[in-house]
Amino acid sequence: MFPWILCGILAAVNLLLIVKIIFLKRGIWEVCKEFEEHISADTNTLISVSSCDRQIKKMAAEINTQLRQLRKERRRFQNGDRELKEAVTNISHDLRTPLTAIGGYLNLLEREDNSEAVVRYLSQIKERTEAMKSLTEELFRYSIIHAEDELRPEKLDLCRVLQDNLLSFYGVIQEKGIVPQISLPEEPVWRIMDKAALNRIFSNIINNAVKYSDGDFAVELTPSGAITFSNSAESLTSVEAGRLFDRFYTVESGRSSTGLGLSIAKVLTEKCGGQISAEYLGGKLYIRMQL
């Protein structure tokens, strides 16, 4: 009888262990599932489990402690990020007035009788002032773009919007002696996008290409919404091309570019659900977009 009793006890112990393992697995699964939901959602609720196991409850309590700390840090980051954006917006806005006044006084000084040296100095001062004004304007626009998350999507024809933007640069393109190569589909390419954002994207890219082109400029739009802007840029390198979307990056410090135009285009493109990249091949810069 003793062996049978021993076997019965062992079977009961095994059954209890199997049940405990099942409940442990269920408790761990509940903790993992709720943790995933709490991480992905911005909620103040905490993890709760149905398991009565002391270790599972302890694990859930520890995770809840970390979740509270994570929410605290997230709120601090969000508040700090918002305050920083507001500060940048206010500073850039406040810089406009004195810079405009400086420009006005410089214009008045240019009308006076000055020596050759004074004229040269005034020219340098005016050039730097205009560069500062340009930086301030782009900094203001950049901060506004990051501060405003709301877009107003509507049905747009990419082909039509791109055509309108190219036409707005016709005078500048003609002045530089560039004969643009433009390839657009005959049929509309419809997208649901924010029109103001799309205009800013195209405008910034075209402006950058025309400003730094070595004499050519090409645009191609395919029916699938893939757009390629290209221009010769012998002085550029592949490393520099990879950094063109970085904030405030400039290829040459002596140029008046602030480095924000393409950065703004990248921010807006991604907000609209598109992709943008730069590639340097055979002495040419290619800006590729997929909208």
Side-chain angles (χ1 to χ4, degrees), residues 8 65 137 140 153 192 214 227 258 274:
T65 300
E137 288 295 327
F140 178 73
I192 305 297
D214 287 340
I227 311 172
T258 62

Side-chain angles (χ1 to χ4, degrees), residues 112-280:
E112 301 293 329
D113 293 332
N114 297 305
S115 65
E116 183 178 341
V118 172
V119 171
R120 186 170 67 253
Y121 296 151
L122 285 175
S123 176
Q124 290 292 326
I125 294 171
K126 188 171 184 179
E127 181 182 340
R128 296 305 174 185
T129 302
E130 289 299 322
M132 288 183 65
K133 284 176 65 178
S134 178
L135 173 59
T136 303
E137 288 295 327
E138 290 201 28
L139 182 61
F140 178 73
R141 289 194 293 267
Y142 188 84
S143 60
I144 289 296
I145 287 168
H146 272 282
E148 295 179 355
D149 296 326
E150 184 180 353
L151 296 176
R152 297 172 177 80
E154 58 180 293
K155 188 176 181 180
L156 299 171
D157 176 13
L158 293 183
C159 189
R160 178 64 181 272
V161 178
L162 182 55
Q163 280 180 328
D164 291 343
N165 278 271
L166 288 168
L167 284 172
S168 69
F169 280 89
Y170 176 77
V172 179
I173 293 173
Q174 191 176 47
E175 183 181 344
K176 293 198 68 173
I178 297 174
V179 179
Q181 304 297 316
I182 301 172
S183 176
L184 304 176
E186 295 182 1
E187 298 296 325
V189 181
W190 297 109
R191 290 293 184 275
I192 305 297
M193 297 183 68
D194 183 284
K195 188 173 184 178
L198 187 58
N199 278 322
R200 176 66 59 80
I201 293 168
F202 288 156
S203 176
N204 286 3
I205 294 175
I206 296 170
N207 179 65
N208 184 83
V210 173
K211 184 183 293 184
Y212 300 119
S213 171
D214 287 340
D216 64 335
F217 174 55
V219 183
E220 181 184 7
L221 169 63
T222 68
S224 65
I227 311 172
T228 302
F229 300 86
S230 62
N231 62 276
S232 296
E234 293 294 339
S235 60
L236 201 63
T237 67
S238 56
V239 174
E240 291 170 336
R243 296 191 59 193
L244 287 177
F245 297 112
D246 293 353
R247 285 177 289 181
F248 307 113
Y249 177 75
T250 55
V251 176
E252 295 180 19
S253 58
R255 293 182 176 179
S256 60
S257 171
T258 62
L260 279 170
L262 290 181
S263 182
I264 290 173
K266 179 179 175 63
V267 170
L268 289 175
T269 300
E270 292 176 349
K271 276 193 173 186
C272 292
Q275 297 176 338
I276 186 169
S277 63
E279 187 178 21
Y280 186 68

